[in-house]
Amino acid sequence: MKPPMLEIVNLKKVYPTKNGPFTVLEEFNLRVDEGEFVAVIGHSGCGKSTALMMIAGLNDISDGDITVEGRVIQGAGPDRAVVFQSPSLFPWMTTLENVMLGVRRVYPHGTRKQQEDICKYYLNRVGLINALDKKASDLSNGMKQRVGIARAFALKPRVLLLDEPFGMLDSLTRAELQDVLLEVWNKEKITAIMVTHDVDEALYLSDRVVMMTSGPYAKVGDVLEIPFHRPRERSAVMEDPRYYDCRGHLLDFLNGHDKDKLRDNPSPSATSQITVSPQSDTNSTEMALGKI
Amino acid sequence: MATKVINFLSLCGLTWFVPFVKLASGECPKEQLREILSVIGIPVVSVLIFFAFWSFTAAQIKTSLGNLPGPVAVWEASKTLIAEHRDERAKEKAFYQRQEERNAKRLAKDPQAEVRIRKYTGKPTYFDQIGTSLITVFAGFLIATLLALPIGILCGLNKYVMTAFSPLIQIFKPVSPLAWLPIVTMVVSALYTTNDGLFEKSFINSAITVALCSLWATLINTALGVASIDKDYINVARVLRLGNIEKIVKVVIPASLPYIFAGLRISLGVGWMVLIAAEMLAQNPGLGKFVWDEFQNGSSHSLARILVAVFTIGIIGFMLDRIMVVFQKLVSFGQDVATA
């Protein structure tokens, strides 16, 4: 039998602190099949980004295993491309050069022309074909993140890791970029894991939403299959009656863990972090729950 | 057009001229005049007050070489220095002309005659000395940069290297050029034994002393810049699995250029300051030697001539700093650079 694209078994992360070791994650298990889009949602500080960075190989694993296609990962690599929360483009390079840097590593034997064509293909898909020679420092935040998406896809990774990719954008740009991401992804169907704390974003983009319990000792608390067919269209998804069932499910889980958390540890810090996209502001009763 | 000129002027830190450009391009004259008065008027007034104060106090101070020269005496001395420079150049030209004529005559008489071309051996003028000083400081600065950049990058990349270099940096950074020079002199005379070498020993001594004193700022700033690169950039480099060389050339150096140039700017300033002392002791024929010779000379004009050198050193130092500011701004991707 073919091994799953990505398998995480008993993943554990411990940070040493002044007050002794602090366990962020424990017994974190996840299995992702090829071509699946998984969203990981949870409160801020629950360790979801930590888990993603461990999959990327950018953060050390304290215990447990991460395998990609049956092979244990060794450090970071272009087979697990990352779209970072801040676009992390090199401001001294142009749009094209930023994408080229990775493409030249992944296709070292291609001619310069072939490499450039790959970059241009993806930059065209994200709508930046007219900004190839602009310095990255001159781009708006939304455009920078478009380049970030193009750069990740151009690597032809086995797994695409998205770390709150739209967290720094305003809501209009965020919706725009969700559509851009979905459009590119529909063509490529690259196995993707996205960390987010936007409930609507998770519902709109993913096949499965993994809900994490609040840390410390965070783990997978619940998993929800998203029933909408692909290719998806935002308006159709929003009008689907199942949308609000799913949304309610996610919010119940998150708010439930708020209460647990508040009971255990009366600090209100992590409770305000779950956001709900504004496009549903007017017609959602769960909104009030989401904003607590 | 006006906007372009203004941008260029602000890039060079010559913001004084901005209101003039605005005035010329027809922007609200009243506002620009007020701007001119405040940006230019205040410095002009303060300098005038300084001159008056200087003129008054100088007249009160009697030295063994006569009164301390005031602004007028210094101004006269600078004119004399320029005149001496012109005379010397004229003499040099005349010398070569005579030599050429003599040789031409000799060749006309006997085509086999041995023609000797001698170099003019007049004393260096003030402007030659300025030139020598500039060449020396750039040579020292170049040596300092070539040493400091690679070591700084290594220190910034690896904390063990940093720990290893840290005590050396701490100890050698505050050492005065005057302490280095005798050691440098002895080492250079031991190792550089040819007498007809490409460079004068005094030049090498001064340049190395400048390098030893000025490399620390670049080294520390480079290490700091490299160590404080945005972690995301390093993460991107790790995801792309860039090789070490490519990582340094394409990511580390460009990302730390603003810090590196801030360090280079300090280094060049320190180097220029140290140079004068080094030249005095090493007898390198630059501004330092000029000051020393005038001091030894002890004529009634000496102090005025030394003060000309003081102003020259100050103005050149200021211009060098401005040049570095331009570079620093060019690599800073829109961040602010302090120009004071």
Side-chain angles (χ1 to χ4, degrees):
Chain A
M1 205 188 90
K2 217 176 141 193
M5 178 53 83
L6 174 74
E7 190 162 32
I8 302 168
V9 182
N10 286 332
L11 190 66
K12 184 176 181 181
K13 182 71 193 180
V14 183
Y15 282 113
T17 66
K18 265 184 261 169
N19 309 322
F22 179 78
T23 308
V24 186
L25 284 173
E26 202 175 44
E27 287 177 50
F28 183 89
N29 291 293
L30 184 63
R31 194 192 141 111
V32 183
D33 289 321
E34 187 166 1
E36 222 186 343
F37 195 125
V38 174
V40 179
I41 197 163
H43 288 285
S44 257
C46 73
K48 53 194 193 303
S49 279
T50 307
L52 197 78
M53 286 299 114
M54 285 158 90
I55 302 170
L58 293 171
N59 201 335
D60 294 332
I61 295 168
S62 302
D63 198 17
D65 284 311
I66 299 176
T67 52
V68 172
E69 292 183 303
R71 282 189 302 274
V72 176
I73 59 160
Q74 299 287 337
D79 58 326
R80 280 156 285 133
V82 185
V83 180
F84 295 92
Q85 179 171 19
S86 71
S88 313
L89 302 183
F90 299 121
W92 51 89
M93 294 185 187
T94 63
T95 306
L96 182 64
E97 284 166 349
N98 264 293
V99 182
M100 267 300 259
L101 190 65
V103 168
R104 290 175 68 178
R105 295 290 304 166
V106 184
Y107 305 95
H109 303 302
T111 62
R112 179 112 195 156
K113 173 89 173 56
Q114 289 167 334
Q115 294 169 341
E116 268 183 25
D117 285 345
I118 294 170
C119 298
K120 284 178 187 164
Y121 171 79
Y122 286 101
L123 284 167
N124 188 28
R125 295 224 68 91
V126 298
L128 285 180
I129 197 67
N130 293 321
L132 292 180
D133 296 320
K134 269 202 180 171
K135 279 264 182 294
S137 49
D138 294 337
L139 300 176
S140 69
N141 265 344
M143 285 166 95
K144 280 182 190 160
Q145 200 53 292
R146 283 170 193 252
V147 181
I149 292 170
R151 175 171 66 183
F153 275 101
L155 296 175
K156 281 261 181 236
R158 304 303 296 150
V159 181
L160 180 67
L161 304 169
L162 302 124
D163 184 14
E164 295 182 35
F166 310 128
M168 286 168 77
L169 304 174
D170 62 90
S171 49
L172 283 177
T173 317
R174 188 184 307 176
E176 219 171 81
L177 278 184
Q178 286 165 357
D179 289 330
V180 167
L181 173 66
L182 206 54
E183 200 195 304
V184 183
W185 188 84
N186 279 338
K187 284 247 165 172
E188 312 274 330
K189 292 272 193 266
I190 290 172
T191 312
I193 301 178
M194 177 171 75
V195 162
T196 178
H197 47 228
D198 183 331
V199 171
D200 295 286
E201 182 171 279
L203 286 172
Y204 179 45
L205 294 177
S206 67
D207 299 311
R208 205 146 52 103
V209 181
V210 171
M211 289 158 266
M212 283 180 69
T213 62
S214 297
Y217 304 102
K219 58 182 77 160
V220 175
D222 195 1
V223 178
L224 179 67
E225 298 280 342
I226 307 299
F228 315 124
H229 291 294
R230 291 186 187 273
R232 291 178 186 169
E233 207 172 300
R234 191 183 294 272
S235 53
V237 169
M238 306 281 292
E239 279 159 22
D240 195 309
R242 291 170 297 178
Y243 185 81
Y244 288 100
D245 296 340
C246 293
R247 203 161 179 275
H249 186 140
L250 293 182
L251 287 175
D252 281 347
F253 176 87
L254 293 167
N255 288 320
H257 273 270
D258 265 0
K259 283 172 202 132
D260 287 352
K261 199 171 178 174
L262 283 175
R263 211 170 29 240
D264 296 346
N265 169 19
S267 115
S269 62
T271 55
S272 58
Q273 292 297 329
I274 294 298
T275 59
V276 177
S277 293
Q279 61 259 20
S280 53
D281 272 4
T282 46
N283 54 3
S284 163
T285 45
E286 281 92 348
M287 188 64 207
L289 285 168
K291 268 237 170 115
I292 293 172
Chain B
M1 173 60 198
T3 329
K4 264 190 190 160
V5 175
I6 289 170
N7 283 344
F8 177 75
L9 287 174
S10 347
L11 180 71
C12 305
L14 299 172
T15 37
W16 306 333
F17 299 112
V18 171
F20 286 104
V21 178
K22 282 190 180 165
L23 195 62
S25 69
E27 262 181 67
C28 172
K30 216 175 179 181
E31 198 176 300
Q32 299 314 322
L33 282 176
R34 196 180 310 136
E35 184 82 344
I36 288 172
L37 273 183
S38 73
V39 225
I40 300 187
I42 295 173
V44 165
V45 169
S46 69
V47 169
L48 285 179
I49 293 175
F50 167 72
F51 277 153
F53 173 77
W54 171 20
S55 185
F56 174 76
T57 17
Q60 317 294 315
I61 300 175
K62 302 241 183 303
T63 70
S64 59
L65 299 178
N67 260 355
L68 197 65
V72 181
V74 172
W75 179 245
E76 291 302 324
S78 68
K79 283 203 285 196
T80 321
L81 282 169
I82 294 171
E84 280 173 13
H85 171 74
R86 289 227 183 88
D87 286 352
E88 197 64 29
R89 282 288 182 275
K91 268 193 219 164
E92 186 180 349
K93 213 174 152 195
F95 170 83
Y96 281 117
Q97 207 172 351
R98 258 180 290 142
Q99 175 170 275
E100 226 168 84
E101 277 167 19
R102 207 180 319 127
N103 287 342
K105 252 186 229 166
R106 206 178 285 169
L107 281 173
K109 229 185 256 171
D110 172 16
Q112 308 300 320
E114 230 179 280
V115 174
R116 263 179 290 181
I117 296 182
R118 287 197 183 81
K119 267 191 119 177
Y120 180 70
T121 50
K123 69 177 169 79
T125 68
Y126 188 60
F127 291 90
D128 294 333
Q129 286 167 318
I130 294 176
T132 309
S133 280
L134 282 173
I135 293 171
T136 315
V137 82
F138 279 120
F141 180 58
L142 190 72
I143 299 172
T145 308
L146 291 180
L147 282 172
L149 278 188
I151 299 177
I153 290 172
L154 283 178
C155 286
L157 285 177
N158 186 317
K159 66 172 184 210
Y160 297 111
V161 179
M162 183 63 149
T163 320
F165 272 95
S166 181
L168 299 177
I169 296 172
Q170 308 293 344
I171 291 172
F172 290 130
K173 188 171 64 116
V175 175
S176 147
L178 304 178
W180 280 121
L181 196 81
I183 298 164
V184 172
T185 310
M186 296 319 288
V187 172
V188 169
S189 11
L191 298 178
Y192 191 74
T193 42
T194 51
N195 275 323
D196 51 348
L198 194 55
F199 303 109
E200 294 282 333
K201 266 185 198 162
S202 63
F203 168 81
I204 297 177
N205 291 340
S206 318
I208 292 179
T209 306
V210 166
L212 279 176
C213 293
S214 70
L215 67 87
W216 310 108
T218 304
L219 203 166
I220 292 170
N221 257 42
T222 306
L224 181 69
V226 171
S228 57
I229 294 178
D230 193 338
K231 214 162 173 294
D232 283 342
Y233 292 163
I234 299 297
N235 280 342
V236 172
R238 284 173 67 189
V239 168
L240 299 181
R241 286 227 175 111
L242 297 184
N244 275 331
I245 302 287
E246 200 177 6
K247 184 173 109 184
I248 290 174
V249 172
K250 292 209 170 140
V251 180
V252 171
I253 293 181
S256 39
L257 271 186
Y259 273 97
I260 293 177
F261 270 86
L264 288 174
R265 181 180 161 197
I266 301 171
S267 278
L268 188 56
V270 169
W272 182 244
M273 210 159 72
V274 158
L275 172 78
I276 307 303
E279 281 183 339
M280 270 189 193
L281 284 183
Q283 291 293 295
N284 186 45
L287 283 169
K289 186 170 189 299
F290 171 84
V291 171
W292 186 248
D293 287 350
E294 287 299 336
F295 179 58
Q296 294 297 319
N297 196 5
S299 85
S300 55
H301 295 297
S302 288
L303 289 183
R305 289 160 77 96
I306 291 175
L307 275 172
V308 175
V310 166
F311 281 100
T312 313
I313 293 164
I315 290 167
I316 291 177
F318 173 64
M319 290 195 302
L320 292 178
D321 189 62
R322 273 303 128 107
I323 293 170
M324 293 311 287
V325 168
V326 174
F327 283 122
Q328 207 186 334
K329 281 189 181 170
L330 284 177
V331 298
S332 290
F333 313 111
Q335 293 153 30
D336 280 341
V337 173
T339 52

